[in-house]
């Protein structure tokens, strides 16, 4: 069975993952180096809230950061500094705001009954 446009818009493509890793310099948003076996990609605006799988809504995290974030726990960085769940949420959003002019949570969502053209938004078009 073919996937719906909505489902496809929420998926993270290999190309998007590469762009995210390049943007972050192979580091987590917390600055921790991401070894190939220790990378997970996170939707800043969750898929359950119609968050898209495009680079302006995705950050790379360590597996531990990703698990702790989803468990609403504090997140240690290099075993020392700790971010509260809310501080880490703000850190991820600020990371994207600094890199995409005009970034907003609404621009990271798809609408259920949107036109097909809305799912083919390019980075250039998205940030006009």
């Amino acid at each position: 069975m073919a996937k719906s446009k909505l489902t496809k818009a929420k998926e993270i493509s290999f190309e998007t993952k590469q762009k995210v890793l390049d943007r972050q310099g192979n580091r987590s948003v917390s600055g921790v180096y991401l070894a190939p076996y220790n990378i997970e990609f996170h939707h800043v605006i969750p898929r359950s809230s119609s968050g898209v799988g495009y680079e302006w809504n995705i950050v790379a995290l360590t597996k531990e950061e990703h698990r702790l974030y989803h468990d609403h726990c504090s997140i240690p960085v290099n075993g020392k500094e700790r971010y509260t769940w809310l501080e880490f949420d703000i850190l991820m959003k600020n990371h994207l705001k600094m890199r995409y002019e005009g970034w907003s949570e609404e621009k990271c969502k798809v609408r259920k009954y949107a036109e097909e053209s809305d799912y083919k938004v390019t980075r250039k078009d998205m940030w006009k």
Side-chain angles (χ1 to χ4, degrees):
M1 183 174 194
K3 294 180 182 178
S4 72
K5 293 174 194 170
L6 184 62
T7 299
K8 288 179 185 178
K10 293 179 179 183
E11 291 179 345
I12 307 170
S13 69
F14 178 78
E15 180 183 70
T16 296
K17 290 177 182 180
Q18 286 303 121
K19 288 178 182 179
V20 169
L21 288 174
D22 289 346
R23 178 189 74 216
Q24 293 182 209
N26 287 333
R27 294 187 178 275
S28 167
V29 292
S30 66
V32 175
Y33 176 73
L34 293 168
Y37 59 86
N38 194 28
I39 301 170
E40 291 191 356
F41 294 89
H42 174 72
H43 287 76
V44 175
I45 305 305
R47 291 170 51 151
S48 60
S49 297
S50 296
V52 295
Y54 302 139
E55 65 184 278
W56 54 82
N57 187 42
I58 304 298
V59 293
L61 304 174
T62 67
K63 288 182 179 182
E64 180 183 27
E65 289 171 344
H66 199 212
R67 179 184 57 79
L68 291 170
Y69 179 80
H70 280 285
D71 289 344
H72 287 250
C73 296
S74 61
I75 297 147
V77 178
N78 291 328
K80 298 177 183 177
E81 184 179 351
R82 294 184 86 80
Y83 289 98
T84 65
W85 180 88
L86 182 58
E87 290 170 337
F88 203 76
D89 188 62
I90 292 168
L91 178 71
M92 291 187 294
K93 290 175 182 173
N94 284 342
H95 172 83
L96 295 172
K97 285 178 185 176
M98 289 174 28
R99 285 153 183 85
Y100 300 99
E101 186 178 328
W103 184 92
S104 73
E105 293 184 25
E106 281 306 308
K107 288 182 180 178
C108 294
K109 295 180 182 181
V110 291
R111 294 175 309 282
K112 188 172 182 179
Y113 301 107
E115 296 296 320
E116 182 177 350
S117 60
D118 289 342
Y119 297 101
K120 294 182 180 178
V121 173
T122 64
R123 179 176 170 185
K124 179 181 169 188
D125 296 335
M126 182 71 175
W127 303 109
K128 284 186 176 179

